[in-house]
Amino acid sequence: KSKVILGKERRPEEENKKELQNVAYLQETVAKEMEQINLEMQKLDTDRREINLDREQRDNEWAELNNAIEELTV
């Protein structure tokens, strides 16, 4: 009987161990994915800032062109 009891007790222990290993694996996977997401968000933020700077520069150039055109027409 003691062998049967041990077997029954070990099974849940083994299942718990497997579940804990699975949870640890999933946590590691999620951590890696979150790191990747953070890197992608940083890149998107950098791209967004660059686009905004380009737009501002283009707007300034258009304003200068419009001023030059106005001076020529006057």
Side-chain angles (χ1 to χ4, degrees):
K1 277 190 171 181
S2 63
K3 288 183 181 180
V4 174
I5 292 173
L6 281 176
K8 286 182 180 180
E9 288 177 1
R10 281 190 182 175
R11 187 168 188 192
E13 284 179 28
E14 290 174 9
E15 288 177 11
N16 286 341
K17 185 177 177 180
K18 286 180 183 179
E19 287 179 19
L20 288 174
Q21 288 173 341
N22 190 36
V23 167
Y25 170 77
L26 292 174
Q27 286 176 330
E28 185 178 327
T29 301
V30 168
K32 288 178 183 177
E33 289 177 1
M34 289 295 293
E35 184 178 340
Q36 186 64 32
I37 289 169
N38 284 332
L39 291 173
E40 290 176 19
M41 288 187 65
Q42 288 175 2
K43 184 182 182 322
L44 288 172
D45 188 53
T46 300
D47 291 348
R48 181 185 55 81
R49 290 177 191 211
E50 186 177 321
I51 288 168
N52 287 338
L53 284 174
D54 288 346
R55 180 181 299 127
E56 188 177 322
Q57 194 172 17
R58 186 187 66 236
D59 289 346
N60 288 336
E61 290 171 356
W62 272 108
E64 289 176 17
L65 282 172
N66 285 329
N67 287 340
I69 291 171
E70 281 183 33
E71 288 179 13
L72 290 174
T73 56
V74 172

